[in-house]
Amino acid sequence: MTNQDWLVKNDGKLEDCQTIAEIELSANPYRLFRFLTNLEDILLNITGDIHRLEKIRPLVRHLLNYSEWLHYEYLEPDPDTGWSVLTLYDEPDFPLTVQTVVWSPGQASPIHNHATWGIVAIVSGEEKNTIWRKVDPENSDAIEKISEQILYPGDIISFTPDAIHHVEALGDEPTVSFNLYGEADYERRFEFDPITHTAINF
Ligand SMILES: [Fe+2]
């Protein structure tokens, strides 16, 4: 457990954030409905993705540390695709994505942005995050690799809407993560091809 908090900004800068391990919240265990209520309060009262992420990261850390069930709540990787998603919460008109995601060892995602703020906490296994950025954001979809960061259980990485990355599951066991995203602006969400320098909506 390294318990490190990271922030990836739109320009590909990876910031090592101050980790607040404990926050004053209700008593153990931290129930999902309380987490969602605290989250809604932040979203209602705070504007700006970076400020929101600063406030949400400690909640995610608290959930990770004080919700034992979360560590067992995931699907096995789909044998055909090598990954699976389990939705933990879904309510019309409260457009959050709250899920656990599992990847088979060696599997990698496409290179993408999220078009909303996002936070991923590693529950088990190891995940390599490769960070990219647009070479000339105003004029082209060409991207270049900026950095790599291997995440371990207890690590949290957060993203601004135009941060670009891809992930790869390392090690011998599946990688399980808790993933939380805001409301995506789907027209601004892309998968990038670093060879052809093109991007497609997904
Ligand atoms: Fe992602």
Side-chain angles (χ1 to χ4, degrees), residues 24 31 49 56 90 123 126 133 155 157 168 178 188:
E24 287 183 32
R31 303 281 182 204
D49 294 310
I56 300 168
D90 184 19
V123 175
E126 293 172 29
R133 77 171 167 208
D155 289 346
I157 192 163
E168 182 184 345
F178 170 80
R188 285 177 51 208

Side-chain angles (χ1 to χ4, degrees), residues 104-122:
S104 294
Q107 290 290 319
S109 75
I111 304 168
H112 60 279
N113 72 326
H114 295 106
T116 180
W117 57 266
I119 300 186
V120 172
I122 306 301

Side-chain angles (χ1 to χ4, degrees), residues 8-202:
V8 186
K9 291 183 162 173
N10 289 350
D11 60 3
K13 199 165 161 237
L14 179 68
E15 279 185 11
D16 180 342
C17 302
Q18 189 189 2
T19 299
I20 304 160
E22 292 299 325
I23 47 171
E24 287 183 32
L25 282 172
S26 54
N28 191 17
Y30 189 27
R31 303 281 182 204
L32 184 61
F33 74 88
R34 285 199 195 280
F35 169 77
L36 292 167
T37 304
N38 294 145
L39 181 59
E40 186 176 36
D41 289 346
I42 289 169
L43 297 175
L44 289 173
N45 293 312
I46 296 175
T47 52
D49 294 310
I50 287 174
H51 287 125
R52 284 177 164 180
L53 288 168
E54 205 175 279
K55 297 289 183 191
I56 300 168
R57 280 193 304 268
L59 299 184
V60 172
R61 179 161 297 290
H62 201 70
L63 189 73
L64 195 65
N65 293 352
Y66 289 84
S67 292
E68 199 184 347
W69 62 271
L70 188 65
H71 294 252
Y72 306 103
E73 199 70 13
Y74 58 89
L75 301 174
E76 291 303 314
D78 183 309
D80 294 327
T81 63
W83 67 301
S84 289
V85 173
L86 176 65
T87 298
L88 299 178
Y89 171 81
D90 184 19
E91 180 176 324
D93 304 322
F94 190 24
L96 290 166
T97 300
V98 186
Q99 57 191 200
T100 51
V101 179
V102 58
W103 291 91
S104 294
Q107 290 290 319
S109 75
I111 304 168
H112 60 279
N113 72 326
H114 295 106
T116 180
W117 57 266
I119 300 186
V120 172
I122 306 301
V123 175
S124 59
E126 293 172 29
E127 182 182 276
K128 183 167 82 175
N129 263 261
T130 304
I131 315 299
W132 302 75
R133 77 171 167 208
K134 285 193 174 182
V135 178
D136 179 7
E138 303 305 318
N139 297 307
S140 122
D141 289 322
I143 54 169
E144 60 185 352
K145 196 183 284 187
I146 297 299
S147 62
E148 290 178 348
Q149 185 64 47
I150 297 176
L151 305 181
Y152 300 95
D155 289 346
I156 290 174
I157 192 163
S158 50
F159 303 93
T160 56
D162 290 323
I164 301 170
H165 79 145
H166 80 275
V167 299
E168 182 184 345
L170 302 181
D172 321 318
E173 54 170 318
T175 300
V176 180
S177 58
F178 170 80
N179 294 25
L180 175 69
Y181 305 100
E183 183 177 16
D185 175 356
Y186 293 105
E187 290 186 1
R188 285 177 51 208
R189 198 179 68 170
F190 297 99
E191 283 182 10
F192 295 86
D193 186 324
I195 309 293
T196 59
H197 301 308
T198 53
I200 51 163
N201 230 202
F202 79 101

